[in-house]
Amino acid sequence: MTSETPRRRLAPEVRRRQVLDAAVAVFSEEGFHGASMEAVAARAGVSKPLVYAHGGSKEELFAACLHREADRLLRSVQSAAGEPGDEPLVRLRRALRAFFHALTSRRDGWTVLWRQASTGPFAGEVDALRRRIVDQAADLVAGGLGLPRGAVVPYAHTLVGAAEGLAQWWLTSDDALDRTDPADALADMLVGVVGPGLAALTDTIAPSTAVSDQR
Amino acid sequence: MTSETPRRRLAPEVRRRQVLDAAVAVFSEEGFHGASMEAVAARAGVSKPLVYAHGGSKEELFAACLHREADRLLRSVQSAAGEPGDEPLVRLRRALRAFFHALTSRRDGWTVLWRQASTGPFAGEVDALRRRIVDQAADLVAGGLGLPRGAVVPYAHTLVGAAEGLAQWWLTSDDALDRTDPADALADMLVGVVGPGLAALTDTIAPSTAVSDQR
DNA sequence: ACCCTAACTACCGATGCGTAAAGTAGCCCG
DNA sequence: CGGGCTACTTTACGCATCGGTAGTTAGGGT
């Protein structure tokens, strides 16, 4: 606490980034209600009014954190999935790998998104984000198996939930994976568990539904 | 609002139950911070001091809700799983069926448990509950496949996450299942997805681990 | 040296937990 | 049927926390 930073003037853009980073950190630790604007200010090494100047109200600030992290996550997963022409299970594995990689490299962003935001005034926004991810998964599965999109939606939810569960284990347990790339290992585990079941899905539900029924 | 309940005297035990029911309802709708003690009192048709008399402080009240719902859920899943001697996949399917049934029949209890409590001062307690459920799943999987318990823990997390994801879809989407028993259908779907993968697990990780290494 | 504006200190008002005090009425018992 | 024990209500308030802002200070480019 000897660092009596003597009040530096910074460009608005830089300050805004600082404040947002601090907000993500604090929100991820304390939650939306638990975090105080003063805590955010302290974490950013800055005074409270400055947080208001750059982040707006508390809700606006939280929403900004949410959107930034959500965009990051979605973009990386989406770009990793690659072109629709590729092998389905390969695409799925790549997407999962990107997902786990994003989580591990940005832990607190993940926490803000899925744990803290699920309650309160942002449940709707988080559900929307989750829906976008589930939609990606549904596209992947439907495209890979040649099944109607509507029929695979519950399975997409299952898949995303499974990824969340595995991620939770990975982020909270202190067990180590004996692989050089943890995200790789996690993606392999998940594909190993759900891969066969998904592949067998064609026989399970295809007979009862028209394949051409694209929603 | 014409129901001017004319002030009934009740046994403490009954009142306590009333207050707890109201608390679960309000907490599930508004979250821990969003709910006010006065709202709980109003929902129970009772005055605020009485809520304090029977429920203690807000945190104690919430914790009581948490524990009651958690115990209910765990007990029903545990008893449904049945004896270790039975067929592994059958046990798993029974447990999942009980899980989904508990969710559907006690929606707000579920909401309190998993959505509202995951943040704030109760994250630890919810993690403990989740761990107990994961432990049950791990026992089921390890026992069924004859694998060391330590090796299946991540897969148990995956399984529980998958169940959560499917449950979320079932509780939020308005799609209907064309089965007489939704819990049955959900359990079937989940077993269909993860069953083959779990069964194949023996070949995947058994060679690299001693089977007798029970933790 | 000047002035714009980033940044700070200090404060207000609202909200909500928790409780105290005083009165009212249900229900058991004689 | 009547009296009293006590569960319950009403009302009011203390107190802490925290979101948000008004007025002041000082950094640094020109």
Side-chain angles (χ1 to χ4, degrees), chain A residues 77-162:
Chain A
V77 171
Q78 198 151 24
S79 76
E83 295 307 310
D86 301 342
E87 183 67 25
L89 274 184
V90 172
R91 292 189 69 199
L92 177 60
R93 207 191 146 287
R94 277 204 295 250
L96 287 175
R97 197 196 164 284
F99 180 75
F100 288 120
H101 181 72
L103 291 201
T104 336
S105 66
R106 298 188 62 83
R107 264 181 98 118
D108 45 359
W110 160 263
T111 308
V112 154
L113 282 176
W114 293 90
R115 283 187 79 105
Q116 312 296 1
S118 62
T119 182
F122 299 96
E125 305 224 30
V126 165
D127 280 358
L129 162 68
R130 193 201 164 86
R131 180 141 306 174
R132 284 164 71 192
I133 290 200
V134 169
D135 280 350
Q136 283 193 16
D139 286 340
L140 233 59
V141 175
L145 301 178
L147 288 174
R149 207 175 168 295
V152 300
V153 167
Y155 295 97
H157 273 90
T158 307
L159 177 60
V160 172

Side-chain angles (χ1 to χ4, degrees), chain A residues 33 119-121, chain B residues 26-27 29-37 39 58 116:
Chain A
H33 288 282
T119 182
Chain B
V26 173
F27 280 136
E29 290 170 8
E30 314 281 351
F32 177 72
H33 289 280
S36 73
M37 292 299 262
K58 194 184 185 181
Q116 311 296 0

Side-chain angles (χ1 to χ4, degrees), chain B residues 128-153:
Chain B
L129 162 67
R130 193 201 164 86
R131 179 143 306 173
R132 284 165 71 194
I133 290 200
V134 168
D135 279 349
Q136 284 193 17
D139 286 340
L140 235 59
V141 175
L145 301 179
L147 288 174
R149 205 175 170 296
V152 300
V153 166

Side-chain angles (χ1 to χ4, degrees), chain A residues 31-99:
Chain A
F32 176 71
H33 288 282
S36 73
M37 293 299 264
E38 213 154 279
V40 174
R43 175 70 67 108
V46 130
S47 71
K48 194 156 61 123
L50 202 131
V51 175
Y52 281 91
H54 287 92
S57 76
K58 193 184 187 183
E59 294 206 346
E60 287 169 344
L61 179 62
F62 192 85
C65 296
L66 210 58
H67 288 135
R68 193 181 71 168
E69 300 301 321
D71 283 349
R72 250 186 252 240
L73 182 63
L74 271 173
R75 215 186 307 276
S76 74
V77 171
Q78 198 151 24
S79 76
E83 295 307 310
D86 301 342
E87 183 67 25
L89 274 184
V90 172
R91 292 189 69 199
L92 177 60
R93 207 191 146 287
R94 277 204 295 250
L96 287 175
R97 197 196 164 284
F99 180 75

Side-chain angles (χ1 to χ4, degrees), chain B residues 52-73:
Chain B
Y52 279 91
H54 286 93
S57 75
K58 194 184 185 181
E59 294 207 346
E60 288 168 344
L61 180 61
F62 191 86
C65 297
L66 208 59
H67 288 136
R68 192 180 73 168
E69 299 302 321
D71 283 349
R72 249 185 251 240
L73 181 62

Side-chain angles (χ1 to χ4, degrees), chain B residues 51-135:
Chain B
V51 174
Y52 279 91
H54 286 93
S57 75
K58 194 184 185 181
E59 294 207 346
E60 288 168 344
L61 180 61
F62 191 86
C65 297
L66 208 59
H67 288 136
R68 192 180 73 168
E69 299 302 321
D71 283 349
R72 249 185 251 240
L73 181 62
L74 271 173
R75 214 186 308 276
S76 73
V77 171
Q78 198 152 24
S79 77
E83 295 307 309
D86 300 343
E87 183 68 24
L89 273 184
V90 172
R91 294 188 69 201
L92 177 60
R93 207 192 145 288
R94 278 204 294 250
L96 286 175
R97 197 195 164 286
F99 179 75
F100 289 119
H101 182 71
L103 290 200
T104 335
S105 66
R106 298 187 61 83
R107 263 181 100 116
D108 45 1
W110 161 264
T111 308
V112 153
L113 280 176
W114 291 90
R115 283 188 81 104
Q116 311 296 0
S118 63
T119 183
F122 300 95
E125 306 225 30
V126 165
D127 279 357
L129 162 67
R130 193 201 164 86
R131 179 143 306 173
R132 284 165 71 194
I133 290 200
V134 168
D135 279 349

